[in-house]
Amino acid sequence: RTASGRRPLRILRAGQAASSLGGWMGTVALMALVLELTGSATAVGGVLVLRLAPTVLAGPLAARLVRRWSRRRIMLAMDAVRIPAALVLPWITELWWIYTWAVVIEVAGMVFLPARDASIPDLLEPDDDLAVANGFVLGTSYGMIPVGAGLFAAVAAIARGDVGAGAARVAFAVDPLTFVVSFLAISRLPELGTGVSPSAPATSGTF
């Protein structure tokens, strides 16, 4: 069997496909919501900044957490944070609150991703190709970008061309459900390691 066929990895990929779909659909919906509320292209650009800025702060923190805590518990905790945060977003009308909750979701995602990537070797068998497995998971996540955007366009079309708050609220109703799917998928995985201990020698197959 190939690495992509391992059952634990299939479970992880299924959960990630769902959450990535909701996440990218939610990103487009967030931009539409901000444009509807402000009419400002600059404010919409702020949404994209929020998807990148948390990396500076969350990246180093996430690396420390992955080495010290259970990767499975980190992923479960971050999904548990993102579910209510995504539920709140469509009902907020103040721009700074929208940005605040968007940052919460993005920071949780930035902590989640290193834990997910570091867990992949634990889900494989010795003869599996780690690079192939990483590629499958990464492809599952980023392959959802056009699908998520397309689904939002479909929602807007059903709403008779309304690409504003109405369509955004429908999209945000889907978003937390996809995080629930991810949470349930991760809960079915075995307990995952806490990373390489500081005294252990590094190997070429680890993150």
Side-chain angles (χ1 to χ4, degrees):
R1 292 185 298 174
T2 62
S4 62
R6 304 299 182 191
R7 185 170 181 273
L9 190 62
R10 290 201 307 270
I11 293 172
L12 178 66
R13 288 178 60 201
Q16 288 304 283
S19 66
S20 295
L21 174 62
W24 290 112
M25 186 179 181
T27 297
V28 179
L30 185 60
M31 291 189 290
L33 178 62
V34 169
L35 183 62
E36 173 85 3
L37 294 175
T38 67
S40 168
T42 301
V44 174
V47 174
L48 297 178
V49 172
L50 292 177
R51 285 199 64 92
L52 301 175
T55 306
V56 178
L57 297 176
L61 172 62
R64 291 178 178 272
L65 291 178
V66 167
R67 293 180 66 87
R68 296 174 181 272
W69 293 359
S70 161
R71 296 162 186 161
R72 178 173 174 270
R73 293 181 183 179
I74 290 173
M75 290 188 286
L76 290 173
M78 294 304 101
D79 274 344
V81 168
R82 291 188 288 184
I83 291 167
L87 280 171
V88 168
L89 262 177
W91 309 109
I92 298 174
T93 56
E94 295 290 337
L95 182 61
W96 71 277
W97 270 115
I98 292 176
Y99 282 171
T100 298
W101 283 108
V103 167
V104 169
I105 293 174
E106 292 304 323
V107 169
M110 289 307 305
V111 175
F112 179 98
L113 289 177
R116 181 200 70 183
D117 293 344
S119 73
I120 293 174
D122 295 336
L123 302 177
L124 303 178
E125 295 184 8
D127 59 338
D128 288 332
D129 190 323
L130 178 58
V132 172
N134 283 331
F136 274 113
V137 174
L138 191 64
T140 298
S141 297
Y142 286 93
M144 291 295 108
I145 296 177
V147 179
L151 280 179
F152 181 79
V155 169
I158 293 172
R160 298 179 180 180
D162 175 17
V163 295
R169 288 193 173 97
V170 174
F172 279 121
V174 175
D175 198 10
L177 294 178
T178 64
F179 290 131
V180 170
V181 173
S182 173
F183 183 95
L184 293 176
I186 293 166
S187 69
R188 296 178 61 190
L189 297 178
E191 188 61 58
L192 301 170
T194 56
V196 180
S197 65
S199 60
T203 61
S204 59
T206 58
F207 290 85

